[in-house]
């Protein structure tokens, strides 16, 4: 039996990772970091360094987007590999679909951040004033897209509250887990050739 | 001329009281004209906010309010017919987010501050290919291109824009400003991607663009 590969993952993927096929899931020993570190990139850098330091020279996989300024150095040394994708949304949707939706002016909500949307916008980004939040979002986005990974009932009531807050239409994009699985299998193959 | 209450204006912006901030600026422009208000009141305020932004002590919402105020003040100056008195004409700047980058806010803020500084801004939007940047700069006789990227993986796409300028023999005559969060956190990245310069915040972009324009070979 092959040794498990340490997986340092953003907490936004926790439930999705646990639902992957057993052969893939069991190849890893996961450790999750708080997804809210995305809002503080230098703290994320430090948290990744700390998590990886515990693994020493062991080959490791990072299930993250390009979410902190030194991700390249962190993920390209000592047998470490990062999942392909600029952020968690691209990892879940795949490059083509992600880019197509971005070109349509989409802002994405992953399931975990949907639950925490008020914490993200009102407290982390400072948009506690509804009119200001609305102006900000409408200045740069045309629609909001919930990424349905298939593991959670779609939180229609929360999405309606988000739609009201920003006055932008919300749609549901059924992503499933196939792109996540693909990204992780590729990263695993590179880490354990 | 009575002194301006910069501290109170900063507080309005940081408390996201956009209407109060605009009222303060309106009163100043009514009394002294737009040019004086912008030069002696709004600009120094935005410089202070820019410094806070570059060391990470203000939120995205507070930075957004500052950018929005610059945009609204400029629009009001244009409506009043005083826009031509605001600042010396600086020429054309071409702006865009580099290929695969869709983080528009910083770029839009830079556009507002440049317009306030007398630049005619050609904003190409998100996900702009190198050729499109250079074609626009040539068509409009722009001396400075501003390419924005938020993350390292997209910032590295600026290298293709530098290669496009090189291959068309335009490096030097068209200067390349680069900006976005990752450039602030990785200062060496400007050289790595072939940028000619960067500014620590959108509010400080006009000074950079002026310096680059001066450096551009005729």
């Amino acid at each position: 039996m092959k040794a498990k590969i340490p997986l340092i993952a953003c907490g936004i993927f926790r439930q999705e990772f646990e639902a992957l096929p057993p052969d893939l899931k069991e190849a890893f020993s996961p450790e999750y970091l708080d997804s809210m570190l995305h809002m503080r990139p230098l703290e994320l850098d430090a948290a990744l360094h700390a998590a990886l330091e515990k693994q020493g020279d062991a080959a490791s996989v990072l299930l993250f987007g390009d979410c902190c300024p030194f991700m390249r150095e962190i993920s390209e040394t000592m047998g470490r590999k990062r999942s392909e994708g600029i952020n968690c949304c691209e990892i879940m949707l795949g490059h083509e679909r992600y880019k197509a939706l971005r070109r349509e002016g989409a802002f994405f909500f992953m399931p975990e951040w949907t639950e925490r949307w008020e914490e993200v916008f009102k407290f982390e980004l400072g948009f506690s004033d509804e009119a200001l939040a609305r102006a900000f979002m409408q200045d740069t986005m045309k629609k909001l897209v919930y990424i349905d990974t298939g593991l959670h009932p779609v939180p229609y009531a929360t999405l309606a509250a988000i739609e009201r807050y920003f006055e932008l239409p919300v749609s549901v994009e059924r992503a499933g887990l196939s792109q996540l699985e693909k990204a992780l299998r590729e990263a695993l193959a590179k880490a354990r050739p | 001329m009575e002194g301006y209450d910069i501290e109170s204006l900063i507080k309005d912006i940081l408390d996201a009281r956009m209407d109060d901030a605009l009222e303060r600026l309106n009163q100043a422009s009514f009394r002294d004209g737009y040019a004086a208000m912008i030069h002696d009141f709004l600009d120094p305020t935005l410089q202070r906010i820019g410094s806070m932004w570059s060391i990470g002590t203000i939120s995205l919402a507070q930075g957004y309010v500052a950018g929005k105020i610059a945009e609204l003040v400029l629009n009001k100056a244009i409506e009043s017919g005083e826009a031509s008195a605001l600042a010396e004409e600086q020429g054309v700047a071409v702006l865009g987010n580099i290929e695969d980058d869709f983080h528009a806010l910083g770029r839009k803020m830079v556009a507002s501050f440049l317009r306030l500084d007398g630049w005619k801004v050609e904003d190409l939007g998100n996900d702009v290919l190198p050729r499109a940047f250079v074609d626009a700069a040539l068509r409009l006789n722009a001396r400075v291109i501003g390419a924005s990227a938020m993350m390292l993986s997209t910032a590295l796409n600026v290298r293709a824009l530098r290669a496009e300028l090189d291959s068309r023999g335009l490096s030097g005559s068209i200067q390349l400003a680069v900006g976005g969060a990752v450039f602030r956190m990785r200062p060496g990245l400007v050289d790595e991607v072939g940028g000619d310069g960067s500014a620590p915040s959108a509010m400080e972009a006009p000074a950079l663009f002026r310096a680059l324009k001066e450096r551009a070979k005729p």
Side-chain angles (χ1 to χ4, degrees):
Chain A
M1 187 177 163
K2 288 179 179 174
K4 291 193 177 209
I5 299 271
L7 176 77
I8 315 299
C10 177
I12 210 159
F13 294 114
R14 183 188 292 266
Q15 293 190 42
E16 284 69 21
F17 175 80
E18 297 301 331
L20 289 173
D23 71 298
L24 179 59
K25 194 173 66 169
E26 287 161 14
F28 293 106
S29 55
E31 176 183 345
Y32 299 99
L33 302 185
D34 185 355
S35 66
M36 211 50 66
L37 286 166
H38 180 89
M39 309 305 297
R40 295 179 288 275
L42 292 173
E43 285 182 35
L44 175 57
D45 263 343
L48 284 170
H49 274 296
L52 285 163
E53 206 169 273
K54 288 187 274 180
Q55 308 304 333
D57 292 345
S60 311
V61 168
L62 288 96
L63 180 52
F64 273 90
D66 181 19
C67 300
C68 56
F70 296 95
M71 184 62 87
R72 178 177 58 180
E73 288 77 2
I74 292 170
S75 62
E76 290 181 4
T77 53
M78 296 195 303
R80 296 170 191 164
K81 299 295 169 196
R82 181 174 72 82
S83 48
E84 281 290 323
I86 202 163
N87 55 34
C88 53
C89 307
E90 185 175 327
I91 292 169
M92 292 307 304
L93 293 169
H95 179 71
E96 296 307 322
R97 187 61 185 147
Y98 170 80
K99 194 160 180 177
L101 287 167
R102 283 296 251 165
R103 282 184 168 153
E104 292 169 14
F107 182 89
F108 300 104
F109 284 84
M110 288 281 285
E112 196 217 22
W113 270 33
T114 305
E115 287 173 21
R116 303 171 80 176
W117 76 274
E118 290 184 281
E119 181 185 353
V120 173
F121 283 94
K122 296 182 181 177
F123 302 110
E124 291 287 342
L125 298 177
F127 288 106
S128 53
D129 179 274
E130 201 167 318
L132 187 65
R134 199 168 286 160
F136 162 74
M137 199 59 111
Q138 292 181 6
D139 256 3
T140 50
M141 301 292 163
K142 292 188 179 136
K143 62 181 183 178
L144 311 174
V145 173
Y146 173 78
I147 297 177
D148 178 10
T149 62
L151 299 182
H152 321 261
V154 175
Y156 287 108
T158 306
L159 295 179
I162 291 171
E163 193 168 63
R164 278 195 303 275
Y165 196 73
F166 295 112
E167 285 188 351
L168 280 173
V170 177
S171 62
V172 175
E173 176 77 14
R174 305 207 184 278
L177 299 176
S178 61
Q179 294 294 333
L180 172 66
E181 181 180 341
K182 178 169 172 278
L184 264 182
R185 285 197 189 280
E186 286 171 359
L188 178 64
K190 288 178 194 163
R192 195 166 64 185
Chain B
M1 184 188 301
E2 216 176 289
Y4 294 120
D5 187 355
I6 290 174
E7 297 305 325
S8 293
L9 182 57
I10 289 175
K11 190 162 188 333
D12 286 343
I13 291 172
L14 297 186
D15 290 346
R17 290 195 303 267
M18 194 130 64
D19 290 345
D20 291 348
L22 288 171
E23 180 55 26
R24 222 178 264 285
L25 292 165
N26 281 342
Q27 284 177 12
S29 63
F30 185 71
R31 193 185 65 198
D32 303 323
Y34 274 98
M37 177 274 280
I38 288 171
H39 184 264
D40 297 328
F41 194 12
L42 182 57
D43 271 355
T45 302
L46 293 177
Q47 291 300 319
R48 293 265 302 275
I49 301 271
S51 300
M52 293 178 206
W53 177 270
S54 59
I55 58 170
T57 56
I58 63 172
S59 70
L60 181 66
Q62 290 164 324
Y64 173 74
V65 169
K68 209 63 197 164
I69 284 171
E71 183 185 320
L72 293 170
V73 165
L74 180 67
N75 290 342
K76 276 184 174 276
I78 290 168
E79 281 169 24
S80 75
E82 276 195 62
S84 59
L86 293 184
E88 180 191 343
E89 277 191 29
Q90 298 296 328
V92 179
V94 171
L95 293 188
N97 282 65
I98 199 69
E99 185 176 8
D100 283 337
D101 198 286
F102 293 88
H103 293 87
L105 179 65
R107 186 194 81 243
K108 289 190 167 199
M109 287 170 68
V110 167
S112 295
F113 296 125
L114 287 177
R115 288 188 177 112
L116 200 59
D117 191 48
W119 292 84
K120 187 170 184 301
V121 175
E122 178 74 2
D123 188 346
L124 303 178
N126 291 328
D127 188 25
V128 180
L129 296 174
R131 175 173 288 276
F133 274 110
V134 178
D135 287 348
L138 286 174
R139 179 168 44 85
L140 299 165
N141 197 26
R143 309 288 286 280
V144 186
I145 289 173
S148 176
M150 189 172 184
M151 293 174 293
L152 178 62
S153 47
T154 52
L156 294 176
N157 293 340
V158 175
R159 292 180 298 195
L161 174 53
R162 166 53 68 199
E164 181 78 14
L165 286 166
D166 285 347
S167 70
R168 293 164 76 168
L170 296 167
S171 291
S173 57
I174 297 177
Q175 296 282 306
L176 178 55
V178 294
V182 71
F183 289 100
R184 194 174 68 243
M185 291 184 267
R186 296 182 62 121
L189 188 58
V190 179
D191 288 338
E192 183 180 344
V193 301
D196 291 312
S198 187
S201 72
M203 298 79 169
E204 291 152 281
L208 169 70
F209 276 62
R210 281 183 184 228
L212 291 178
K213 187 182 77 168
E214 290 305 311
R215 206 193 297 169
K217 292 178 197 151

